[in-house]
Amino acid sequence: MVGPQRPQIVLFGSSIVQFSFSNGGWGAILADVYARKADVVLRGYSGWNSRRAIQVIDRVFPKDAAVQPSLVICYFGGNDSMGPHPSGLGPHVPLEEYVENMRKIAVHLKSLSENIRIIFLSCPPLNEKMLQESSSTIFSKLVRTNETCRLYSEACIEMCKEMEIKVVDLWTAIQKKDDWLSTCYTDGVHFSAEGSKVVVGEILKVLKEADWEPSLHWKSLPTEFAEDSECDLISSDGKTTINNFGLSTDSETNFGGFHSRDAKLSLEK
């Protein structure tokens, strides 16, 4: 492990997690927002459901790891909610089993550390027409509808309330955008850059409002190597230096391609 040690934010889930570093994805945005503050670690597995997750969760999150995550953001549900196949194979998981699997994931994560924090993401809606048009013929046809996504989303939210786990209601959040059907997806399932902005905004709201000590909101975390240095870029007076990271996060300036303060804060509106 490289140092200095920072808080570790682990993204755990299926393809919505695995692909979150592509297409202006929400994982990449979080990594940018938390630059020099926390390490965002990707543990996404395309095609997985909650049943597959609990089979290997001890290997993904070993209890004897030298360093445990400060925060785990977890998503499963889209694949679970797909219709069953006559063969009995495939990603479908009955709703009651899905809830129990998510409960087991939560229990395991809580056992890792007294200080670990958890956020679950509920099942988002689909663009069913786009999904049908983009589906590959190499896969056997499976039913995937917004109605089942809604049921699995509601079940996840209810389970989180019972276990006092923070949850992002993606089903509702995505549909708050009037143009969500045309702007939020790349293929009807996975998020575009616009859809990812919604996801990040909701996650940051949870982090800002949570009464966690210490806070894991990006503005509350210290910046690594924040002290001024004679090696920093020289200011216009030709006599002093300016901390580049300070400009990119704490001022009104968008400097060197980094997000400005306003750009980051706009995600939380």
Side-chain angles (χ1 to χ4, degrees), residues 74-233:
C74 178
Y75 168 75
F76 291 99
N79 294 324
D80 299 68
S81 68
M82 296 171 71
H85 191 267
S87 68
L89 301 173
H92 171 72
V93 173
L95 184 59
E96 290 185 5
E97 181 189 343
Y98 164 72
V99 172
E100 288 309 305
N101 290 344
M102 297 301 283
R103 194 184 306 276
K104 290 175 183 177
I105 291 172
V107 168
H108 180 83
L109 293 176
K110 285 185 173 184
S111 74
L112 299 178
S113 165
E114 293 182 359
N115 300 317
I116 195 168
R117 309 303 183 187
I118 304 166
I119 299 175
F120 276 17
L121 308 180
S122 82
C123 195
L126 306 168
N127 182 326
E128 293 183 9
K129 181 179 179 181
M130 185 184 292
L131 174 61
Q132 291 173 0
E133 293 172 349
S134 63
S135 295
S136 173
T137 57
I138 68 171
F139 296 114
S140 180
K141 186 175 181 180
L142 291 172
V143 177
R144 197 166 195 171
T145 70
N146 267 322
E147 177 58 18
T148 55
C149 288
R150 180 185 65 82
L151 294 173
Y152 280 66
S153 176
E154 291 176 353
C156 177
I157 293 168
E158 183 62 29
M159 185 274 296
C160 288
K161 289 179 179 178
E162 292 174 4
M163 297 189 70
E164 299 184 338
I165 294 171
K166 303 294 184 184
V167 60
V168 171
D169 179 0
L170 286 183
W171 169 262
T172 300
I174 292 294
Q175 293 184 82
K176 286 180 179 179
K177 284 180 62 69
D178 292 337
D179 58 352
W180 68 275
L181 281 168
S182 60
T183 64
C184 286
Y185 300 100
T186 60
D187 56 7
V189 176
H190 303 103
F191 294 122
S192 64
E194 284 302 308
S196 284
K197 289 177 184 177
V198 176
V199 179
V200 173
E202 294 299 314
I203 291 171
L204 292 180
K205 284 179 187 177
V206 171
L207 291 168
K208 187 174 184 178
E209 295 170 1
D211 58 352
W212 293 337
E213 291 293 340
S215 172
L216 291 174
H217 186 256
W218 67 274
K219 289 195 72 177
S220 300
L221 294 177
T223 299
E224 188 174 285
F225 299 123
E227 66 275 6
D228 292 332
S229 167
E230 71 277 5
C231 299
D232 290 332
L233 294 174

Side-chain angles (χ1 to χ4, degrees), residues 13-20 44-48 75 79 189-190:
S14 55
S15 56
I16 280 180
V17 174
Q18 180 176 327
F19 302 158
S20 69
Y45 304 92
S46 179
W48 280 27
Y75 168 75
N79 294 324
V189 176
H190 303 103

